[in-house]
Amino acid sequence: MKYVKCGGEVFELKLTPLGTNCRYCKEKEAVIKPAGISLPLCKECFLAFCEKKVKMAIEKHKMFKPEDKIGVMVSGGKDSAALLAILKKLYPEQKIYAIHLNLGIGYYSDFAEIAVKRLCEKLGVPLITYNLKEKEGFTISDFINTRFRDKICAICGTIKRYHFSRIARENGINVICTAHHLDDILSTMLSAFFQGDFIGLSRLTPVIEPLFEGQPKKVKPLCYLQEKDLFYYSVLSGLPLEPCACPHGEITTVKEWKKWVEEKSKEDPSFKFRLFSIFRKKLIPLIKKNLKEEKENFVPCGICGEPTPSKSGLCAKCRRVKLLERVKERKLEYQPEEFLKLVGDSQEKDFVVFDVKLKEDYEKESFPGAIWIDPTLLSKDDKTLLKTFKPYRKKRLFFMCYTGRTSFRFVLRLRKLGFLAYNIANPKDLLMKNEKEKLVSSPL
Ligand code: SF4
Ligand code: ZN
């Protein structure tokens, strides 16, 4: 089983007998070793190992009590799927709700919502969904038109945090469980440390107590598990995984730190645990001791009322959402019929259509007059993209592929570079047989 994460990282699971019996049950053949630990286990004992780690985190850090109403943030990915499954298995009597935010990121968000619904049905967990586009009138992709175009993931995090907190409050949920695992926490800690963000760092603890009454407590029950283990857990316990990577997945500083930590732990398998312990037991208490009472720094946001440390009186979420008011055109994607209407109405030929399928498929069928672009161009740097599309700087660029996924990623890259690029979703209806002699040659 292969799983492609946002940002392109690939996880793969191949179960091969390790030539020894399971170290726990001593009976079955061992097929897997948990990440960073030399402990050959059979499938059943591996699942039990992961569940034990979660239970240990919950009990050690007093994450919740039997009477608490728990909200689990589910994205459609492997980590939150594993978290929800483990919590439901360990605490079948606890009031547990899944909360999902549809971010409006084209095909990715549609896929994620289906995956979440399937997961919740399988586990018998009630699901609360919130659709940003329908309820708030904007999507995460809209921020590609603002100065935050290179920080979409950071924006996404800010928006998600706000809505999860709000949804929890409105539904009487007093504890929010997030699927941050050891790798996430360590990379965020290192990133915060090297940016000098010590307040941010001090809040990266397994439990974040609410600053104000009525706010939910936030807990990280996966803090002692590594990402690889969560992928294995999801696959081995048969959770419905829909590997679909977000097209915004970017190389962020946090991801760079994640890679660094991974490299270090290859040389020293206990590295991650030691680093976490140093941050958690030594550095964070030291920072907290020197910080002012946190509450004093906060005021309620002038728009949404959420506590904010901002001097402007508006929280980070509201300041960013306000930027969208200035964006004249947010549309990134056209349905085939909308596109045909636009093309038909267009007086001048101010648009170009690019087909980013494989060349042999483009040669068979495409949109009349579409120009073929090698899909591997997507992996090239900005300079190459700029050079390729320079002749079309003043035109509206429409992209199509097989399903509208690769083309959507082209659109996002080009929007970041200042082009007026649009995606054509579900382009099947637009295809016509291509006649070889009429093909437009690629600018590459
Ligand atoms: Fe949000 Fe970035 Fe994750 Fe996409 S990759 S869901 S934009 S955080
Ligand atoms: Zn606000």
Side-chain angles (χ1 to χ4, degrees), residues 162 300-308 313-319:
Y162 164 76
C301 166
I303 295 179
C304 69
E306 281 291 302
T308 171
L314 294 186
C315 72
K317 187 268 307 175
C318 289
R319 273 182 284 137

Side-chain angles (χ1 to χ4, degrees), residues 368-386:
I371 298 174
W372 178 71
I373 292 285
D374 186 346
T376 60
L377 184 64
L378 207 48
S379 57
K380 301 274 171 11
D381 57 10
D382 288 352
K383 222 169 133 194
T384 314
L385 252 82
L386 275 170

Side-chain angles (χ1 to χ4, degrees), residues 9 62 80 105 132 227 230 255 352 421 433:
E9 200 182 332
K62 298 185 178 56
S80 53
I105 306 175
L132 270 190
E227 187 167 17
L230 292 162
K255 282 183 192 157
V352 191
K433 225 174 161 17

